[in-house]
Structure formats: C-alpha cells, structure tokens
Amino acid sequence: MTTTMIDSVTMFRRDLKHALRYPVMTISGIGTAVLFLLLFVGVFGNALGADFLPAGAGRYIDYVAPGVILMAAGTGTAATAIKINQDMLEGIIARLRTMSIARMSVLTGQVIGSLVRTLLSGILVVLVAVALGFRPSATPVEYLAAFGVFAMLTFALTWMAVAFGLATKTVAGANSLTLILQFLPLISSAFLPTDSMPAGVAWFAEHQPYTPIIETLRGLLMGSGIGDSAWWALAWCVVLAAGGFFWSRALYNRPRGA
Amino acid sequence: MSAIEVSGLRKAYGKHTVLDGIDLHVAEGTVYSLLGPNGAGKTTTVEILTTLQAPDAGSVTVAGHDLATDPEGVRRSIGVTGQFSAVDNLLTGAENLQLMADLLHLGKRAGRERVAELLERFDLVDAAGRIATTYSGGMRRRLDLAMTLVGRPRIIFLDEPTTGLDPRSRHTMWQSVRDLVAAGTTIFLTTQYLDEADQLADRIAVLNGGVLVAEGTPAELKRLVPGGHVRLQFSDPARLEHAAVRFADGTRDDEALTLDVPGDGGVGTLRTLLDRLSHERVEPDGLSVHTPDLDDVFLALTAKSPTLYTKDGVR
C-alpha cells in the first residue's frame, strides 16, 4: 500500500511537470466552462431567467452558476482521457510496465493530477461567476460541503475518463468519448428547471446523474431544497468512480497486442 | 547458471503464428543476439520475455524467476530498451533519470548520485536540463539506455538498439554494450544488422518465420555455409575459357567473366594460387578474396524471406 502511494506521488509529480510544460489542455478545460457561463448568463440570461424560472426563484445567474461550476468537472475529463491515451502510445509506459513498480500508480498518479487541476479550474469558474454577479448564500460549512460535492464528482468522472483513454485506440476517439461527460449537463437541471421541459426530456433530465448532483450543490450554495438529491448524488458518484476504476484496471492489466 | 531459459515458446495472433516453438538458452554474463528479418518475431519474443505479453504456450525463466508465476521477480531483474524510444518527451534528461530512481526507491541521495553518474557516463551532462524532445536520435538512445541502467539490472534487453542511428552513435552504443558485459551483465540483443551481431554477440540465434533456423557462435554459423573463395576477374571470354580449363574446381560465370576458385584466403593458399596462375600462364585482370561472413549465412538460412533487406519494411 505504501509503495502504491509513494509511486503514485512520483507519477503525480511527472504529471504536474507535464501540465506546466504543456498547459493547453488544462486551459481549454477551464475555458469551455467559462464560455458556457458567459453564454448562459450574458447571452441567454435575461430571456431564460424571465420566462422559465418560477416567480420568486431569484436571479438567473444564481440559478445557473452551480450547474456551470459542475460542468468544469466534465470539461476537465477531455484532458485526462487524451493524456492517458497519449501516454499508452508512448514508449515510456511500456518501460514502466517492465519495471517492478506499483502497477496502478501510472493511473493513480494521473488521477491525482487531474483532480488537482480540475479543482483549481472549478475555483476559477466560481471566481468568474462571482465577478459576473453570482452571490451564494452559503455558510462556511456549506461551502466546505459544496467543495466536497465538486471533488466527489471530479473524482468519479476522472476515473471514467481514464477508462475512456484506455479503451480508445486514438487520441481523437478518447476526446470524442468524453464529450458525453462534458455535455451531459446540457440536458439536466443545470440551465432550467426540469419541469419546463417536454415530458420525455424532463424524465431523462431528472434521472441522469448530473441533476441530483447539481441540485445538491445548488442547495448548499443557494439554500434551495436538497431533499433526497444528496443521496442520489452520492450513489451516482460511487457508481461512476467504482465503475471507472475497475474498468480502467481491467483495461490496463490486459496483455498488449492481439 | 543460465540467465534466460526458454522452451517451446509459442505465440499467435488469431490465425497468424508469430512464434512457433522457440527454445533459447542464454548463459549469464554473455551477449545473446536474436537475428532475423523484419517480421520474424524478434520484438514479440522480447515483449514476452519482458512480461509485456503473455505467451500462448511454453515455459520461460528469466534470472531464475518463472515468467508465469513470478513476473514481478522477472521485472526486478531486468532492464529494457525497446525498439521505440522509451523516454518521457516532456521531461528533461535529468528528470527522466530521476523518475526511474524515484520509482525504484533508490532513496534521495543515492538516487541523485546515480542520476549524476549516468549523465556523466553517457555524455549527457550538458543536455541534462533540456527537454527530451530537443535531443538528437543518438542522445535519445543514450538517455534511453541510461534509464534502463538506473536500477543496475542483471539482464538487459536491447531491441534493435542501433536502428536508425548514425555510424558514430552506433559505435558508442556498441562500446556501452561491451562495457556492460565486462561488468558481468547479460545482454539479450535483437538486431537485423549482421555486423552488429558479429561484433557483439557470443552466441547468435537466427529467427525466421517464427522458428529458429540456426543457433551457435558467430564462427559456428559461418561454418554452415560453403567456404571462402578467390574470385578471378577476366576481360574477355577467351581468357576466362583458358583459365577455366586449367582450374577445373572453379565456378565460372560467363556473363560476369569471373572464375571463383575455392580457398580460405589465407596468405599460404594465396601464394600457392599465385604461383599456379603464373605457371599456367593465366593472367586475370583482377583478383579478390571472399571469406564467408554472416551475410552468406543469413541469406542462405532465410532465403525464403523476400523482405530481408527492406530496412523500413512493415513488421
């Protein structure tokens, strides 16, 4: 166990150096989330807020910001999947496989790196949202819980992204698969309440993983009701994280070639 | 004790058989070369021996560890420099070596000392702080080998270590291999260059179409093909005819106007031949000595493979 941790930290340091020397992927992940924030607050904000939010629901930016903040967790997955996919094509990983090191550290190092980068992206998106007028009403404990929700989702999505990166043969394929994670929030309660949608879409939006997670975050930051969303959020994150982890492990340990 | 012991090794991808029952025995502290044309199964063999691929059948022991039951033991004993550069492109030379030292848990001080030592030994001190993408082919290969050596492995696998290198870098690589063997390391080397195997290897196995077609020391292999000869070159058919009648054991080529007379090319046999030439009044325009080399062996043994000299061919 300790070897796994030591080796993971070593691999995390490698990932950190990569991110500093080749920051484009990290920046584009943050950029996508910020762009959505500007699009929905600046471009659609007035129209959507006035027509679709129930009366007394408050300002649209306060409604939409939690969802877009969580989008940052999704957009960060592209960098992770691409990075893993590229790595597997490089000779260095073949070398590591022939060495007596903690096997999973190649992946866990990447997961820690992605986690750190995406959490920083999330904080940056929050700051942009605040600059645009987002005013959370959370207490310090609620802020901490909100951070926990974001970290939990990021952890789960990162493991899925690692599996995507391992499962695909090309960088383009890896990137395409993560589009599911990146754009799934578009059909959720992120931008509008689900009851404003047609029945079929509303059903999907209510039952997909992002919605309970968004509702939980919104509840913590804005004081809207959470209900059983927190349990659903937790369940989804555990399922996604475990699924991603075991899928990744199976893919990484399968023999090459064939 | 033997460093590598392989028997009945088989590997197929679907219906395509890559290795069809290979037996290898590599003695400790020697250079063993696996020689073969592109697509013969060299890289597959190395990938199986280094735990990257699982064999379909056969038993493999590396450094006394059974590959099937103790792959970690194998990994602890080996170092691999693959055919494709196994360096981290976004890290500097020093960081690449440090990464190896950290993953091998050498400890802070010992790790740093080892990194400095290897940078010095492979002439990479000046380039230590530069990112690997800026390295030349020869420098990358040196860094690659240096990374393999960080953990002082007892057995080193070199998969086509000089493919694509310029002559100077090739000789540097050869010297490194000789230094390693002198220090007691076992080297398992694959190559498609005959002179490389001839220069470095204690024993050579020729792999063709998934089976070993020959195995032995370079000298033993050379004995497998017909001996050397002296080639006499003539300027007109009449003179060739004149010579051919007098040297009945020669092999004549009427188009090239040459006559190959058997002989090992030694000074004694040459002197005898020259005396006989003047005695018989045979006056060739030119004379050249041909000793059998591994090329002859290789071409004779792998004759069915037309891909032999396509160096950039698909594998």
Side-chain angles (χ1 to χ4, degrees):
Chain A
M1 191 61 213
T2 46
T3 358
T4 310
M5 271 159 65
I6 295 168
D7 289 354
S8 298
V9 170
T10 302
M11 291 307 287
F12 164 60
R13 278 206 302 272
R14 163 180 181 260
D15 185 62
L16 201 64
K17 282 177 191 146
H18 282 198
L20 291 173
R21 279 174 202 160
Y22 189 70
V24 184
M25 288 307 302
T26 312
I27 292 168
S28 81
I30 302 171
T32 314
V34 169
L35 214 63
F36 269 92
L37 196 61
L38 291 173
L39 178 69
F40 278 90
V41 173
V43 181
F44 300 144
N46 286 335
L48 293 173
D51 291 350
F52 291 99
L53 281 193
R59 296 178 311 142
Y60 184 64
I61 187 164
D62 289 332
Y63 180 84
V64 81
V68 179
I69 291 165
L70 285 183
M71 269 194 93
T75 56
T77 57
T80 307
I82 289 173
K83 188 67 198 315
I84 284 281
N85 189 277
Q86 266 178 340
D87 248 3
M88 293 307 138
L89 302 175
E90 300 264 336
I92 182 79
I93 297 300
R95 177 191 287 286
L96 297 179
R97 281 167 179 271
T98 66
M99 292 171 66
S100 178
I101 65 170
R103 245 175 127 62
M104 284 296 277
S105 66
V106 171
L107 303 183
T108 47
Q110 174 69 49
V111 167
I112 303 170
S114 296
L115 208 55
V116 169
R117 272 199 306 278
T118 311
L119 291 180
L120 288 176
S121 312
I123 292 170
L124 214 76
V125 174
V126 171
L127 292 178
V128 173
V130 168
L132 289 170
F134 176 48
R135 294 292 174 266
S137 62
T139 64
V141 175
E142 283 171 329
Y143 270 121
L144 214 62
F147 184 79
V149 170
F150 185 79
M152 195 171 69
L153 176 67
T154 304
F155 182 74
L157 293 184
T158 302
W159 273 113
M160 288 306 289
V162 168
F164 287 176
L166 291 170
T168 45
K169 287 204 161 64
T170 63
V171 169
N175 187 37
S176 306
L177 263 190
T178 64
L179 290 179
I180 303 170
L181 303 179
Q182 294 191 60
F183 293 128
L184 202 56
L186 294 181
I187 310 169
S188 75
S189 67
F191 301 100
L192 288 171
T194 52
D195 46 19
S196 66
M197 300 170 189
V201 180
W203 186 90
F204 178 81
E206 277 163 24
H207 293 90
Q208 69 122 311
Y210 271 103
T211 295
I213 301 168
I214 290 168
E215 290 308 314
T216 306
L217 190 69
R218 192 179 281 134
L220 289 168
L221 291 177
M222 299 309 303
S224 58
I226 294 177
D228 61 357
S229 290
W231 293 110
W232 279 109
L234 185 65
W236 272 118
C237 285
V238 169
V239 167
L240 288 172
F245 173 81
F246 288 112
W247 188 15
S248 299
R249 198 172 67 170
L251 288 171
Y252 186 68
N253 283 335
R254 87 189 146 178
R256 291 201 316 163
Chain B
M1 194 192 121
S2 66
I4 303 170
E5 203 66 63
V6 175
S7 81
L9 188 64
R10 282 172 197 280
K11 179 76 183 177
Y13 298 121
K15 281 183 181 167
H16 178 59
T17 302
V18 181
L19 296 176
D20 197 7
I22 303 279
D23 301 317
L24 295 169
H25 171 90
V26 180
E28 214 166 315
T30 63
V31 180
Y32 194 93
S33 177
L34 192 60
L35 187 67
N38 283 330
K42 300 192 298 290
T43 295
T44 303
T45 307
V46 170
E47 290 193 344
I48 290 172
L49 297 186
T50 59
T51 77
L52 282 174
Q53 289 202 43
D56 295 338
S59 71
V60 176
T61 311
V62 178
H65 303 280
D66 189 312
L67 187 77
T69 56
D70 186 15
E72 276 306 305
V74 174
R75 292 186 190 117
R76 271 196 304 275
S77 318
I78 64 170
V80 188
T81 296
Q83 188 180 358
F84 301 103
S85 177
V87 308
D88 190 315
N89 287 319
L90 286 177
L91 297 184
T92 67
E95 285 168 349
N96 264 298
L97 291 168
Q98 189 63 51
L99 179 67
M100 295 299 114
D102 290 344
L103 289 173
L104 292 164
H105 311 133
L106 293 192
K108 246 189 177 146
R109 186 144 160 227
R112 223 171 295 153
E113 281 169 6
R114 186 77 178 135
V115 169
E117 181 193 330
L118 286 167
L119 286 171
E120 181 78 40
R121 174 164 157 200
F122 285 92
D123 195 20
L124 290 167
V125 176
D126 293 337
R130 271 167 44 202
I131 290 181
T133 38
T134 66
Y135 281 25
S136 70
M139 287 164 77
R140 286 178 73 87
R141 218 61 78 96
R142 294 207 304 275
L143 175 60
D144 208 327
L145 184 56
M147 287 168 75
T148 300
L149 298 185
V150 172
R152 303 177 201 274
R154 288 162 56 197
I155 301 170
I156 294 176
F157 291 85
L158 300 174
D159 191 11
E160 303 202 6
T162 64
T163 299
L165 288 189
D166 61 59
R168 181 187 292 273
S169 303
R170 263 186 110 194
H171 280 95
T172 310
M173 184 60 80
W174 287 357
Q175 194 50 51
S176 303
V177 170
R178 289 191 188 105
D179 293 345
L180 286 167
V181 176
T185 314
T186 307
I187 308 269
F188 189 90
L189 170 94
T190 77
T191 183
Q192 50 177 325
Y193 300 127
L194 302 143
D195 57 335
E196 186 158 290
D198 206 2
Q199 283 275 337
L200 297 174
D202 296 303
R203 290 188 80 80
I204 298 171
V206 183
L207 185 64
N208 193 40
V211 291
L212 293 185
V213 291
E215 208 263 2
T217 64
E220 281 168 359
L221 289 187
K222 284 172 193 171
R223 262 179 248 139
L224 289 177
V225 289
H229 58 261
V230 176
R231 173 163 297 180
L232 307 175
Q233 177 73 52
F234 297 93
S235 55
D236 63 73
R239 284 175 185 235
L240 173 59
E241 180 62 36
H242 173 75
V245 171
R246 281 154 184 84
F247 289 87
D249 54 346
T251 312
R252 63 189 281 184
D253 182 336
D254 286 330
E255 285 191 14
L257 296 178
T258 59
L259 183 70
D260 291 349
V261 182
D264 62 5
V267 177
T269 32
L270 263 185
R271 189 177 288 123
T272 313
L273 177 67
L274 289 173
D275 287 344
R276 203 174 146 203
L277 283 176
S278 84
H279 183 254
E280 303 275 6
R281 294 173 195 280
V282 174
E283 297 216 353
D285 296 313
L287 176 151
S288 52
V289 177
H290 290 256
T291 49
D293 56 14
L294 280 180
D295 277 304
D296 299 320
V297 183
F298 197 50
L299 288 170
L301 291 171
T302 63
K304 275 185 223 158
S305 175
T307 57
L308 186 56
Y309 283 118
T310 52
K311 280 181 185 158
D312 304 315
V314 187
R315 54 175 36 250

